[in-house]
Amino acid sequence: MSVTERGARWRDAAPEFLAEREGQTRLLGEQVAMLLRGRPGVVTVLGAPGTGRSALLRAVVAHARKAGLLAVLAGCSPTEADLRYSVVSQIAAGLAGAGYPAFARRLWAEEQPATTLIPALCGEFVALAGNRPLLIALDDARWADEESKAWLAAMTHRLRYAPILLVQAGAPGEDCAVEPVTESGPVAGSVIHVPPLREHGVREVIVSRYAGPVDGAFVTAATEATGGSPAALLAVLDHFVRAALPPVARYVPALLERAAEVSGDRVTRGISRLPADALALLLAIAVCEGGLDADLLASLAPPRTMSSEQALSVLVRLGLVTEGRTPSPASPLIADRALARMEIGERQALAMRAVELGYRAAIPEERLARLLLNTRPVGAEWVVSLLSRVATQRRLDGDHEGAAALLGRALREPVGDEQRQRLLIELAMMEADRDSETSDRRLQQVLLNSGTEVSVGTLVRAADLLGSRGDASATYRAVATAYTRREAGGAGLESLAAIGWLAENDCAIGDSALPVHSFPEPSDEPGDPVRAGVAAWMLAARGERLPQARELARTAFQVRGEEQPFGPRIHAARALLLADEVAEAVIGLDEVLADARRCGARAPAALALIHRGRCEMRRGNLGQAVYDFEAALAELPLTSWHPRMVPFLVATEAYLHLAGRSVEKAEQSLAFEFPPGADQGVAWAALLYARARVHMELADPEAALRDINECGRVLLSRGWTNPAVLSWRSVAAVANSACGNVETARRLALEGLERAREWGAPSALDVARRCASQVLDGVEAASDLGHDARIPRKPAPYDRPATVPAEPAAASSAARRYAATQSRQKATVRIDTPDARLTGRSERPAVEVVAEGPSAPNETRYPLTANEERVAGLAAAGHSNAYIASVLSVSLRTVELRLTTIYRKLAVTNRNELASLLASIPAPRNMGE
C-alpha cells in the first residue's frame, strides 16, 4: 500500500451529516418556525429503514431546542409494543430530565381506566405547552403501543388548543401512530418523504469523511451496494477507516463484501428484537419457504401471547416476509439469518412437521416438494413419486437445476435398486448441460454397480445416454463390465451388446484403458430395433449391401418413445442418409428429437439436430441446416460435449461455411484449439476431411494430402470404407494428382469409384466420378465413367437439386467450373459460433454464410419448404395430424394449414394421392401409436 493509502486522510466521525436532505430539513424548519408563532402541527416523515429518518428527527429536535422550545424524542420498537403507555413513559422521562418533574407522578402506572387516564394525560401536556411550545418526535411510530396510540389520537384533537408539534417517522405503506394530516386548517400538517441517496449524496457522505480524491467507480459501487442507505454507507465507511483503505476502485470488492455483511447484521439485529411469537413464525416461514399458507403456519408455530395474524403483521411491516396467502422470506438473506438461529436437528424436525401438515392438508405438489427438500428421508411410498412428478414439470418449464435438486432429494429416500438406477438416469439427464462430467459418472455408476435385480432395459438406457455425449472409451468400459456380469443370460442383452459394439468401434486401436472383452458384430437379421439400427450403420459404414442396410434402418424406427434408445435410431438415420433416403432420414430424426426433448435427454436431442442439419445440407436447405446447428448448440453447449465429439462439431461448422462458399470462415473455424483427447475418436476424421477440403480450396494440395491421408487411416482402422461417409479417396486422388503423384492418384480414384459402385448410392457415385474425371486420362476415364453413366440415378423425393452431398463432396476445380456455369441463388443466413470454447477463447462474432449453389435447369416441380417437406413425409407415411404435431412440436392447427398448402402445391386431394406422388417414402410403419 502506498503512503497516500494509509488512512491518514480519513477524518474522525463528524457531527451527523445530512446529505441530500436540504429539502426535508427546510420543511421541518418551517414547521418549527410556525410552532414558535404558536401554530400547532402534525408532520409525518416517511422513508425506508436506514434512509436517515431518525437523523432527521434528531436534527429537528436539536433545532427546536436551540430555538428555545421544549422538545423530546421517543423511539418505538417491537419489543416494547406490548408495554402499556411505553411511548408516554419515554416522553415523560425525557421531559423530567429536562427539568419538568410534573410527570414524576406517572399517572399511567396507576390502575385507572383509559377513559379517565387519557384525558388526564392530555390535560397535563396541554398545560405544559401553554407555558412553552412543545415538540414531540416519535421514531418508528408503527411500533407504538396501543394505549399510547390512543393517547396520541386524543392529543391530535386538542392540538388546536395548544402549541404542540407532533413529528412521527415511519416507512411508506405502514401504519403510523397518528393519522397523517395533509389538509389545511388550524393544525398545520405535512408529509415529508425521505428517498435513498443518489450518487451525488453518497459522494457527499464519503467526502465528509475522507480528505483525498474519491473514485467515481467507488461511489457508483457504494450506491448500488448500500441501496443509497446512509446508515449502511456509514457502517461500510467505518470499516474502511479501521482498515485504512482509501475509497478507490481497487477496493470495490472489499466494499461489496462489507456491504453484504452490514446488510446481514441489520437483518440479524432486526430478527433478534422480534417478539417471541413473531420470531417462531418467522422460523417456520423460513423453513417452509412459502410452502404453507397462513393457517397451516399458525398450526406449525402456534402463538402464545399474540394472535397469528398479529405476529404475521409484525413480520410483514418489518419487511421480513412477503404478504399473500403463502408468506415467504422477503429475501434469501433473511431466510439464511433466520435459519442460522436454529440447530440442524431442530430445523429438520420443524420441516418434517411441515411436510406432515402439508400432506394431510393436500397442498399443491409443487409446494409439498419444496418442503421435502429440507427434510430428512421420510420413508413413505408417496414421496419419491411426488418428487419425480414435480421434477418432470420443472424440467418441462425449463428449470433443469430445480428438477435436479428434486431428483437428488428423491435418491435420499429408501427405494429399490431398479428405481434408484432409474432416478440416477433421470438426474444424469438433468445435469448433462450444467455438469456433464458428473452426469457421465452417474450413468457409469448405473452400469458398474447394478445388481441382477436391475433390468437390462435400464442398463441399455444408461449405456445409450452415456455414449451420446461422445465418450466412447468410458461407454465401452462400462458396458463391457455390465455385459460380462450378465453374459450368462438375460433378455435384451443383444441390445446392450449392440450399443457396446458402437462404442468399441469408435475407440482408438491400442487404447490400453479398454477392457479385454470384445463385442460381437450385431446380427443383420431383422428383429430387435436397437440391434437393427446398429447393424444398419455397420453395413452403411462399410459400404455393404445397401438394400439390407436400408431395411434394417427402417426396422430401427418401428418402435419409438422416450424409453427407446436414441443412439441406434440416430445411426439408422445416418445409414438412410448414406443410402440417399434423405427424406426418410429426416422423418426418423424428427421422431428422435421429439422423444429426446420429451424426456429431457439433451445430448441425444442435440445429436439429432446436428445430423438433421446435415440432411438439410444434402437437400440444399442451407438456412435450415444452419438453424439446426444453432439449435444443437443451444440444446447442449460446446463446453458440455466430450472432447472426442468436439472435432465433429467444429467440422460441421466448417462444412456449413464451405457450403456457403466462405472458405476463409471455414478456415477460421478449423483454427480451433482442441482439448486433450479430441483426436482419439472417429470424429477426428471428419475434422481432417474438412481441413483437407479447405487446403484444396486454398490451392495447397500438399497440406491437404497430410490431412486426408490421416483421415483415411482413422476411417480404415474402424473398417469404415464407404466413400459416402467421407469421400477421402477422391480428395486424396485430386491432391496427389496436383502434386504430380500420378500413379497414386489413379489408384485412389479407381478405388473410390469401385467402392462407390459397391455401395450403389447415386450421390456417392457422383462424387467419385467428378473427382476421377480430373485424375484419369481420357481413354481410361471414358471406359470407367461410361460404366457409371449406364447406372440409372434414383430421383430425389421432390426433385430438388442438392448443393452439397450427404458428407460434403471433395472440392475440385471441375466442381467449381460446374458451379460457375450455372445461375446461382443466394440466401444469407447467420451462424452464431459456439458461445464458450473449451479452450477459453473469447467468443467470435456471428459470421455470415452466403449459400450459393447451382439452381435447377428447370423450375422445381414440387416447391415445398423444409417444414412442408417434413409434414408431407410424415403424412405420406400414414401418420395422423396429432402424431405429426407431436413429432414436430407444433400445434395441430399448424399441421392442418401446412397440409392444405402441400395439397395445393402438389395438386393432390388426400393422403393416398400424396403417398403415391412421394413414392420414395416407405409404407406406413408401426411407430407404437
Side-chain angles (χ1 to χ4, degrees):
M1 185 182 298
S2 65
V3 175
T4 58
E5 293 183 0
R6 293 189 178 279
R9 299 189 176 199
W10 285 106
R11 302 186 182 99
D12 293 334
E16 203 157 47
F17 179 71
L18 297 174
E20 280 188 355
R21 299 293 182 252
E22 294 81 4
Q24 291 84 353
T25 54
R26 177 179 55 78
L27 291 173
L28 288 170
E30 291 174 355
Q31 292 288 339
V32 171
M34 286 190 286
L35 180 61
L36 282 170
R37 295 194 295 270
R39 186 178 182 186
V42 176
V43 178
T44 303
V45 179
L46 296 179
T51 52
R53 301 174 318 201
S54 301
L56 281 172
L57 293 190
R58 289 191 292 270
V60 72
V61 167
H63 176 64
R65 288 174 178 170
K66 188 176 181 179
L69 299 176
L70 185 59
V72 63
L73 173 63
C76 307
S77 71
T79 56
E80 296 183 357
D82 296 330
L83 297 178
R84 297 175 71 247
Y85 297 104
S86 64
V87 172
V88 179
S89 177
Q90 287 190 61
I91 295 173
L95 292 173
Y100 292 86
F103 289 94
R105 288 173 45 204
R106 297 176 60 86
L107 295 175
W108 56 90
E110 300 175 7
E111 293 296 331
Q112 298 185 39
T115 53
T116 57
L117 179 56
I118 289 178
L121 287 172
C122 290
E124 293 274 2
F125 278 95
V126 169
L128 181 63
N131 297 323
R132 189 175 177 185
L134 172 63
L135 184 150
I136 299 174
L138 189 62
D139 199 5
D140 269 338
R142 58 181 168 173
W143 298 118
D145 61 277
E146 294 302 323
E147 292 78 10
S148 295
K149 286 182 179 179
W151 166 72
L152 287 167
M155 281 295 301
T156 57
H157 294 298
R158 293 169 170 79
L159 288 183
R160 66 183 64 192
Y161 307 117
I164 299 176
L165 175 62
L166 175 62
V167 182
Q168 60 179 350
E174 296 176 345
D175 295 333
C176 292
V178 177
E179 189 69 24
V181 177
T182 56
E183 299 178 357
S184 59
V187 178
S190 63
V191 176
I192 299 175
H193 294 277
V194 186
L197 296 178
R198 296 169 297 176
E199 281 196 27
H200 175 73
V202 170
R203 177 180 288 277
E204 285 185 345
V205 174
I206 298 173
V207 169
S208 72
R209 299 288 305 275
Y210 189 73
V214 179
D215 282 359
F218 186 92
V219 174
T220 300
T223 306
E224 294 177 357
T226 63
S229 165
L233 177 61
L234 291 171
V236 170
L237 293 182
D238 287 342
H239 169 76
F240 270 68
V241 173
R242 291 191 299 272
L245 300 177
V248 294
R250 61 180 292 195
Y251 293 116
V252 165
L255 162 72
L256 300 179
E257 181 179 357
R258 181 55 186 162
E261 293 174 358
V262 168
S263 298
D265 292 343
R266 291 177 60 195
V267 169
T268 300
R269 286 195 299 271
I271 292 174
S272 66
R273 291 198 294 264
L274 287 174
D277 286 341
L279 176 59
L281 183 59
L282 176 62
L283 297 179
I285 292 173
V287 167
C288 295
E289 296 180 351
L292 296 182
D293 59 27
D295 293 338
L296 292 176
L297 285 168
S299 300
L300 187 63
R304 296 175 181 173
T305 60
M306 63 172 64
S307 68
S308 58
E309 292 80 7
Q310 288 175 324
L312 182 59
S313 176
V314 168
L315 298 177
V316 170
R317 284 186 292 166
L318 280 173
L320 295 174
V321 302
T322 61
E323 291 187 271
R325 181 175 176 80
T326 56
S328 61
S331 71
L333 175 63
I334 293 171
D336 290 343
R337 292 304 173 104
L339 293 174
R341 300 177 63 88
M342 306 174 69
E343 299 291 338
I344 294 179
E346 182 185 2
R347 201 157 58 210
Q348 290 185 342
L350 187 60
M352 188 68 75
R353 288 171 49 209
V355 167
E356 294 170 356
L357 272 174
Y359 183 67
R360 289 200 302 269
I363 66 174
E365 288 191 342
E366 168 64 34
R367 287 161 50 190
L368 190 55
R370 289 206 307 269
L371 293 176
L372 284 166
L373 286 173
N374 297 321
T375 66
R376 58 180 180 270
V378 177
E381 293 182 1
W382 59 268
V383 173
V384 174
S385 58
L386 181 142
L387 289 170
S388 296
R389 287 194 301 272
V390 178
T392 298
Q393 187 57 53
R394 287 196 180 182
R395 172 178 59 77
L396 293 175
D397 294 339
D399 182 11
H400 290 83
E401 187 173 356
L406 292 174
L407 291 171
R409 171 62 184 84
L411 281 166
R412 289 163 46 200
E413 291 292 320
V415 295
D417 203 18
E418 172 74 15
Q419 189 176 18
R420 180 169 299 280
Q421 306 314 319
R422 287 183 169 273
L423 286 171
L424 278 171
I425 291 173
E426 289 185 49
L427 179 55
M429 287 192 291
M430 294 304 100
E431 295 172 332
D433 63 326
R434 296 181 298 105
D435 192 351
S436 54
E437 292 185 0
T438 299
S439 173
D440 281 2
R441 282 197 299 272
R442 294 192 193 281
L443 295 171
Q444 292 178 60
Q445 180 182 347
V446 173
L447 291 164
L448 298 175
N449 299 335
S450 295
T452 55
E453 62 274 17
V454 177
S455 67
V456 175
T458 297
L459 300 181
V460 169
R461 184 167 175 78
D464 177 56
L465 292 169
L466 179 59
S468 63
R469 206 176 61 84
D471 191 353
S473 179
T475 304
Y476 177 33
R477 291 194 302 271
V479 174
T481 301
Y483 184 84
T484 302
R485 187 181 297 134
R486 299 292 186 94
E487 202 168 7
L493 277 180
E494 60 182 8
S495 297
L496 187 63
I499 293 177
W501 183 89
L502 266 181
E504 181 182 4
N505 186 244
D506 191 14
C507 290
I509 295 177
D511 189 338
S512 59
L514 296 180
V516 177
H517 187 282
S518 183
F519 290 99
E521 292 183 355
S523 170
D524 55 8
E525 294 296 324
D528 175 56
V530 175
R531 188 198 66 214
V534 177
W537 172 249
M538 178 187 70
L539 293 177
R542 294 174 178 178
E544 301 172 355
R545 292 176 284 171
L546 184 151
Q548 190 169 4
R550 181 169 53 218
E551 291 309 312
L552 286 168
R554 289 170 178 169
T555 301
F557 289 106
Q558 284 183 349
V559 180
R560 73 179 297 270
E562 302 171 19
E563 295 294 322
Q564 188 69 9
F566 305 106
R569 287 190 281 168
I570 292 173
H571 281 81
R574 296 179 69 186
L576 289 171
L577 176 60
L578 298 188
D580 287 351
E581 302 290 353
V582 186
E584 200 172 347
V586 170
I587 291 174
L589 290 168
D590 283 340
E591 294 170 350
V592 172
L593 179 60
D595 288 340
R597 281 179 166 168
R598 197 174 293 117
C599 69
R602 308 193 73 167
L607 272 180
L609 283 165
I610 291 171
H611 288 292
R612 192 177 75 178
R614 295 170 80 84
C615 292
E616 295 299 349
M617 278 200 289
R618 162 74 76 88
R619 298 205 286 195
N621 297 328
L622 185 57
Q624 183 65 41
V626 171
Y627 172 84
D628 284 344
F629 181 71
E630 293 173 337
L633 291 180
E635 195 79 43
L636 195 69
L638 187 65
T639 50
S640 296
W641 291 95
H642 190 271
R644 287 174 181 258
M645 194 65 184
V646 174
F648 181 71
L649 301 174
V650 174
T652 300
E653 183 183 44
Y655 292 154
L656 288 169
H657 287 305
L658 287 173
R661 306 292 192 267
S662 182
V663 180
E664 180 182 354
K665 289 166 183 171
E667 185 180 25
Q668 292 173 359
S669 294
L670 296 172
F672 181 74
E673 184 180 344
F674 291 93
D679 59 349
Q680 297 301 305
V682 74
W684 191 249
L687 181 87
L688 294 168
Y689 182 83
R691 283 180 178 172
R693 287 275 314 277
V694 170
H695 289 317
M696 291 299 293
E697 292 284 351
L698 297 175
D700 188 358
E702 293 182 354
L705 268 181
R706 288 192 297 270
D707 284 328
I708 205 63
N709 287 337
E710 178 62 15
C711 170
R713 187 197 67 77
V714 173
L715 293 175
L716 291 176
S717 70
R718 272 82 172 174
W720 294 14
T721 58
N722 190 347
V725 177
L726 290 173
S727 54
W728 68 272
R729 290 183 180 85
S730 297
V731 177
V734 175
N736 273 288
S737 178
C739 291
N741 305 325
V742 178
E743 283 304 313
T744 303
R746 176 182 172 279
R747 174 179 59 80
L748 288 168
L750 291 175
E751 285 181 7
L753 271 173
E754 184 61 27
R755 292 290 184 181
R757 288 171 187 153
E758 290 177 4
W759 178 238
S763 64
L765 275 168
D766 263 358
V767 174
R769 290 171 59 200
R770 281 189 281 136
C771 291
S773 67
Q774 302 174 72
V775 174
L776 304 180
D777 59 37
V779 175
E780 190 174 21
S783 173
D784 282 288
L785 300 181
H787 168 76
D788 298 320
R790 295 190 293 274
I791 300 176
R793 178 179 178 85
K794 178 179 179 181
Y798 307 110
D799 197 27
R800 173 174 291 189
T803 60
V804 288
E807 302 291 348
S812 65
S813 57
R816 290 194 293 274
R817 286 196 301 272
Y818 171 75
T821 62
Q822 308 296 316
S823 61
R824 293 183 173 182
Q825 51 186 0
K826 297 186 177 182
T828 302
V829 295
R830 294 184 70 80
I831 303 174
D832 289 329
T833 53
D835 56 347
R837 296 298 196 180
L838 294 178
T839 56
R841 293 191 327 174
S842 60
E843 178 186 356
R844 298 199 307 271
V847 297
E848 282 193 351
V849 174
V850 180
E852 300 178 353
S855 61
N858 302 311
E859 183 180 357
T860 302
R861 184 180 176 192
Y862 307 132
L864 300 183
T865 66
N867 288 329
E868 291 166 354
E869 286 180 3
R870 287 194 173 87
V871 173
L874 288 166
H879 296 301
S880 67
N881 288 359
Y883 174 81
I884 296 172
S886 171
V887 167
L888 300 183
S889 299
V890 297
S891 68
L892 188 62
R893 180 60 178 161
T894 298
V895 174
E896 293 169 350
L897 291 173
R898 287 179 183 171
L899 272 176
T900 301
T901 303
I902 291 165
Y903 288 170
R904 176 177 54 78
K905 287 184 176 181
L906 304 186
V908 297
T909 59
N910 55 50
R911 275 175 161 78
N912 290 334
E913 292 181 12
L914 179 65
S916 298
L917 185 61
L918 309 181
S920 62
I921 303 298
R925 304 190 300 267
N926 174 22
M927 303 304 291
E929 292 180 284

